[in-house]
């Protein structure tokens, strides 16, 4: 099934080469969870802070059980620091 993966800031280098800007369309197996998607992309867990599925926050304790559906958009952001 097709899903859109969007990676922001310091996560952008983890996108495949064929990505356009900060997003890419991916073929993934049906029934894949948010946690499995993060692992499949080889993203360091400590860098994945904010997770949005179709614009809705997915808490860390829900990532292993939240299933991604056809045409969903998964957006991942690292922790942000500043002053």
């Amino acid at each position: 099934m097709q899903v859109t993966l969007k990676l922001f800031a310091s996560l952008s280098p983890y996108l495949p080469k064929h990505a356009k800007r900060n997003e890419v369309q991916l073929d993934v197996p049906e029934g894949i969870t948010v946690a499995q998607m993060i692992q499949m992309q080889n993203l360091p867990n400590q860098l994945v802070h904010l997770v949005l599925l179709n614009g809705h926050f997915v808490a860390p304790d829900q990532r292993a059980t939240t299933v991604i559906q056809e045409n969903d958009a998964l957006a991942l952001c690292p922790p942000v620091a500043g002053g």
Side-chain angles (χ1 to χ4, degrees):
M1 69 178 182
Q2 287 256 314
V3 299
T4 301
L5 176 64
K6 299 178 182 183
L7 300 181
F8 295 93
S10 61
L11 294 176
S12 295
Y14 291 92
L15 283 166
K17 297 291 183 200
H18 66 280
K20 298 214 187 307
R21 299 182 55 145
N22 70 320
E23 69 180 64
V24 65
Q25 293 281 14
L26 296 174
D27 286 314
V28 299
E30 290 198 29
I32 193 168
T33 65
V34 170
Q36 290 169 327
M37 183 77 159
I38 292 168
Q39 183 180 22
M40 185 175 92
Q41 295 303 310
N42 296 316
L43 297 168
N45 280 328
Q46 70 273 18
L47 290 184
V48 179
H49 180 68
L50 178 63
V51 175
L52 301 172
L53 184 61
N54 299 321
H56 299 280
F57 175 68
V58 180
D61 63 342
Q62 297 172 336
R63 295 174 189 173
T65 57
T66 302
V67 177
I68 299 171
Q69 304 295 323
E70 177 84 27
N71 297 317
D72 277 354
L74 181 65
L76 308 175
C77 300
V80 178

